[in-house]
Amino acid sequence: MNNIILVGFMGTGKSVVGKLLAKKLKKDFLELDEAIEAREKMSIKDIFEKKGEPHFRSVEKEVVKEASLRKNTVISAGGGAIIDEENFKNLKSSGIIICLKASPDTILKRTKNIKTRPLLNVPDPKKQIGELLKKREPYYNKADFSVNTNNLTIDQVAEEIIKILT
Ligand code: S3P
């Protein structure tokens, strides 16, 4: 359905890059975490705290299903979305999946002062990043293409994606 789906770990730049990419390509932009927050009328942090991760994942699944029916949209998916097989299939059927990557150190640097990510709001975020990345790597590698964002600006990542697409 002509969508571009950005996946990858927290802090790899999916949302900022997605927004810019949508503007450059004159496509709509959809941030799945924002759609989840709008649906639940609650921040992601509060959803995890008050309703638990399984509830978050079930809302995420509904939002992914609906997003996959859209056309001509750049979709930024939360870092855990494609770990679920059904989510992966739905997103894959709707367009090209591009994974943004970054090293654990870069991810730590980009996420350490932001407390809105419950999975990284732990005593040892560095260890958590390493463990989660290892677990999730095979899923992220199922993307059609990937871009290493370590040393690139937001604009450079968007341009790199445009190059991939053309
Ligand atoms: C998550 C990533 C977050 C958000 C939630 C869970 C994950 O999205 O969906 O906190 O499991 O990796 P971002 O990747 O946009 O931070």
Side-chain angles (χ1 to χ4, degrees), residues 20-34:
L20 180 62
L21 186 65
K23 199 170 156 199
K24 284 178 185 269
L25 296 176
K26 298 191 172 53
K27 288 181 182 278
D28 294 330
F29 176 61
L30 179 67
E31 223 284 338
L32 294 188
D33 282 343
E34 278 177 14

Side-chain angles (χ1 to χ4, degrees), residues 81-148:
I82 61 156
I83 309 308
D84 178 271
E85 181 67 22
E86 189 183 327
N87 287 348
F88 177 77
K89 278 191 192 143
N90 281 329
L91 290 170
K92 175 88 186 114
S93 72
S94 91
I96 293 183
I97 301 186
I98 295 178
C99 183
L100 301 190
K101 296 198 168 177
S103 68
D105 282 345
T106 302
I107 290 169
L108 184 67
K109 224 185 290 162
R110 289 184 188 161
T111 56
K112 74 176 174 206
N113 294 322
I114 308 167
K115 297 286 168 232
T116 52
R117 292 185 175 94
L119 294 180
L120 299 184
N121 207 359
V122 293
D124 190 349
K126 190 172 180 178
K127 184 165 167 256
Q128 172 84 327
I129 289 169
E131 287 174 1
L132 273 178
L133 265 177
K134 201 166 159 210
K135 233 190 276 172
R136 290 178 172 184
E137 200 169 5
Y139 299 94
Y140 293 146
N141 286 342
K142 286 161 76 183
D144 297 303
F145 299 97
S146 63
V147 177
N148 185 329

Side-chain angles (χ1 to χ4, degrees), residues 14 17 19 27 36 81 86-87 89 91 104 118 123 148-149 152 156 162:
K14 302 175 299 275
V17 170
K19 205 173 200 173
K27 288 181 182 278
I36 294 168
E86 189 183 327
N87 287 348
K89 278 191 192 143
L91 290 170
N148 185 329
T149 68
L152 300 184
Q156 285 170 330
I162 290 171

Side-chain angles (χ1 to χ4, degrees), residues 10 14 33 44 48 56-57 60 78-80 117-119 136:
M10 295 169 266
K14 302 175 299 275
D33 282 343
I44 301 286
F48 269 74
F56 170 81
R57 296 296 171 198
E60 184 177 55
R117 292 185 175 94
L119 294 180
R136 290 178 172 184

